[in-house]
């Protein structure tokens, strides 16, 4: 049974984020500036991007693995992308006299722009992806970078609450706009933090991918949700949430709008989910009150993860959202999955034979013990100045 998608970003009662200031980069890419509530967009003055840049690369090439049905994007131009530059050469810092960056402004709050080295795009259009052996297709779609702050040495956990709210509003605005583009099947916002994860820039930032197909993890979740609906007549994520709340041993925190928990079958040493208490498809569908609450809950979680050890913990923060056009999309609920391979102060979990090759995970720590440590850590940072 198909459920209707709860996607209502343009309804008045949702509290649509205020519109960003839009501009163009030297090579024609879009750039959007978002502002903290205390800052007035009309006081912002962008600079002209006077750089001489090469033309944008052609779309990458999509190929399908016939053994799994999974799509692979071959974006050879990404071999030349910037890799861990020194702070004075960071492309995400604001421009200054004598040095132009990707951000043509002397300062900014939050900025989003099209990736210069995209895995998908730069064009978006409807297309039918075939399944024949040897067939290739252009990797239409869109890849954006979101910089959380102009301060190069910050991390998300260093942001004030007002800025965290601006980031949430930017995620919501971009989800709504990108979901409406032709050929986009799913919008995925994420952050890779830490050299152990493989980041190529240290500046605090994330990315937003708009896929021209529904990715494998989402397809697997759709299948589980569809089967659960057929067996029980109920929504899978709601039953998972009810189960975790009833058990209680893996709950990290509950707010008026969100529940934070370590899942029963966590795959990674640190794995924690944030799930809205009501059924909502994506970030764009959150009300203004929910976005304000999410900013607080998410900021506390990041600070709690960082409080686990004396040094910053690497993580991947992945926002799972319902696909835009799949017939069963209404079964999926927005949620965050934050994972880290850090299993001890000086040890990482590496995905070797069983995990990497077969997808069969073996846990190093119990979810209950991780939840207990995270509860204490999140509680310890509750008094941290916003």
């Amino acid at each position: 049974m198909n459920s209707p998608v709860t996607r209502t970003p343009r309804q008045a009662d949702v509290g649509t984020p205020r519109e960003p200031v839009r501009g163009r980069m030297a090579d024609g890419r879009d750039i959007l500036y978002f502002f903290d509530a205390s800052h007035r967009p009309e006081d912002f003055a962008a600079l002209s991007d006077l750089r001489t840049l090469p033309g944008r690369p052609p779309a990458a090439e999509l190929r399908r693995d016939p053994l799994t049905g999974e799509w692979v994007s071959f974006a050879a131009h990404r071999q030349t992308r910037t890799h861990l530059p020194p702070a004075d050469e960071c492309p995400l810092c604001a421009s200054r006299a004598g040095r132009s960056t990707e951000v043509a402004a002397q300062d900014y709050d939050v900025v989003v722009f099209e990736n210069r080295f995209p895995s998908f795009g730069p064009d978006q259009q409807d297309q039918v992806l075939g399944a024949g052996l040897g067939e290739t297709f252009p990797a239409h779609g869109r890849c954006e970078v979101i910089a959380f702050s102009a301060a190069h040495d910050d991390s998300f956990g260093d942001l004030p609450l007002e800025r965290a709210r601006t980031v949430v509003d930017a995620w919501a605005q971009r989800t709504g706009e990108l979901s409406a583009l032709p050929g986009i099947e799913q919008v995925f916002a994420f952050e890779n933090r830490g050299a152990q994860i493989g980041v190529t820039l240290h500046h605090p930032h994330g990315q937003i991918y708009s896929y021209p197909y529904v990715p494998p993890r989402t397809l697997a979740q759709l299948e589980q949700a569809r089967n659960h609906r057929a067996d029980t007549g109920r929504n899978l994520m709601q039953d998972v949430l009810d189960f975790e709340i009833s058990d209680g041993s893996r709950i990290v925190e509950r707010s008026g709008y969100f529940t934070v928990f370590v899942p029963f079958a966590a795959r990674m040493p640190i794995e924690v989910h944030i799930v809205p208490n009501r059924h909502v498809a994506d970030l764009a569908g959150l009300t203004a009150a929910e976005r304000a609450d999410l900013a607080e809950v998410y900021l506390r979680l990041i600070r709690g993860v960082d409080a686990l050890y004396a040094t910053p913990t690497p993580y991947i923060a992945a926002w799972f959202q319902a696909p835009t056009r799949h017939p069963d999309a209404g079964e999926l609920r927005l949620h965050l999955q934050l994972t880290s391979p850090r299993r001890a102060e000086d040890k990482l979990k590496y995905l070797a034979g069983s995990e990497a090759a077969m997808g069969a995970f073996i846990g190093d720590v119990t979810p209950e013990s991780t939840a207990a440590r995270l509860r204490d850590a999140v509680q310890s940072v509750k008094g941290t100045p916003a």
Side-chain angles (χ1 to χ4, degrees):
M1 179 176 120
N2 297 339
S3 300
V5 178
T6 308
R7 181 175 279 112
T8 55
R10 282 166 285 280
Q11 291 183 8
D13 64 338
V14 172
T16 304
R18 59 181 176 175
E19 277 298 301
V21 171
R22 300 171 185 265
R24 290 280 185 178
M25 304 172 78
D27 55 1
R29 285 175 290 148
D30 292 328
I31 186 167
L32 302 90
Y33 298 92
F34 293 83
F35 302 91
D36 295 346
S38 61
H39 295 165
R40 301 195 315 163
E42 54 267 31
D43 293 336
F44 174 75
L47 305 174
S48 297
D49 188 351
L50 302 178
R51 296 175 297 168
T52 300
L53 297 176
R56 303 191 67 182
E61 183 179 86
L62 279 181
R63 300 184 182 188
R64 181 177 177 274
D65 181 347
L67 299 181
T68 65
E70 297 175 1
W71 291 96
V72 180
S73 175
F74 289 87
H77 58 269
R78 285 175 57 78
Q79 282 281 58
T80 61
R81 69 188 185 274
T82 308
H83 182 76
L84 298 179
D88 61 354
E89 296 180 15
C90 175
L92 303 187
C93 288
S95 293
R96 62 178 187 272
R99 183 170 185 273
S100 296
T101 70
E102 291 280 73
V103 186
Q106 294 179 339
D107 196 10
Y108 64 87
D109 291 342
V110 174
V111 66
V112 177
F113 57 87
E114 289 185 85
N115 198 321
R116 186 176 169 187
F117 305 97
S119 302
F120 302 94
D123 300 319
Q124 306 89 42
Q125 64 184 58
D126 287 305
Q127 63 179 336
V128 176
L129 299 178
L133 285 174
E135 287 188 276
T136 62
F137 303 88
H140 294 310
R142 187 168 169 120
C143 293
E144 297 183 340
V145 175
I146 173 170
F148 305 142
S149 168
H152 180 80
D153 294 323
D154 277 354
S155 68
F156 196 100
D158 297 321
L159 302 180
L161 178 58
E162 182 183 43
R163 177 61 51 77
R165 170 63 188 273
T166 305
V167 174
V168 171
D169 282 347
W171 281 332
Q173 193 277 345
R174 296 314 298 144
T175 294
E177 188 163 289
L178 294 170
S179 294
L181 293 178
I184 300 305
E185 297 290 342
Q186 185 164 28
V187 177
F188 173 54
F190 63 100
E191 180 193 0
N192 300 325
R193 204 280 289 272
Q196 300 94 326
I197 296 297
V199 298
T200 57
L201 296 172
H202 289 305
H203 194 107
H205 74 287
Q207 299 181 66
I208 306 171
Y209 273 24
S210 299
Y211 296 105
Y213 56 85
V214 181
R217 285 293 303 283
T218 301
L219 289 175
Q221 290 185 11
L222 283 165
E223 181 179 10
Q224 291 299 113
R226 184 170 53 245
N227 292 341
H228 187 81
R229 174 71 72 176
D231 292 341
T232 68
R234 297 190 300 270
N235 176 262
L236 175 58
M237 183 58 87
Q238 186 61 55
D239 278 2
V240 168
L241 185 59
D242 291 344
F243 165 74
E244 292 293 355
I245 293 171
S246 175
D247 180 276
S249 65
R250 291 172 297 279
I251 297 293
V252 175
E253 181 182 14
R254 295 200 71 203
S255 72
Y257 297 103
F258 294 90
T259 299
V260 185
F261 61 88
V262 176
F264 177 75
R267 297 157 299 154
M268 300 298 287
I270 299 173
E271 180 170 347
V272 59
H273 296 186
I274 299 178
V275 177
N277 294 333
R278 75 176 178 96
H279 192 82
V280 58
D282 56 22
L283 290 155
L286 296 175
T287 65
E290 286 170 330
R291 283 186 273 111
D293 189 50
L294 178 58
E296 293 191 49
V297 169
Y298 184 57
L299 188 58
R300 278 197 298 271
L301 174 60
I302 296 298
R303 289 175 176 176
V305 168
D306 274 344
L308 290 174
Y309 298 105
T311 55
T313 289
Y315 63 76
I316 296 173
W319 289 101
F320 284 76
Q321 310 192 81
T324 62
R325 298 188 287 186
H326 194 281
D328 294 314
E331 291 291 348
L332 295 193
R333 182 181 300 196
L334 165 73
H335 65 286
L336 171 83
Q337 294 187 14
L338 185 147
T339 57
S340 174
R342 195 173 196 178
R343 58 188 177 91
E345 179 80 43
D346 57 350
K347 296 177 182 177
L348 296 178
K349 176 183 179 67
Y350 292 98
L351 301 190
S354 185
E355 288 94 351
M358 296 303 291
F361 280 75
I362 293 90
D364 301 288
V365 295
T366 66
E368 291 75 18
S369 62
T370 298
R373 295 180 64 225
L374 278 171
R375 269 196 304 273
D376 291 343
V378 168
Q379 186 64 36
S380 73
V381 302
K382 278 197 171 182
T384 303

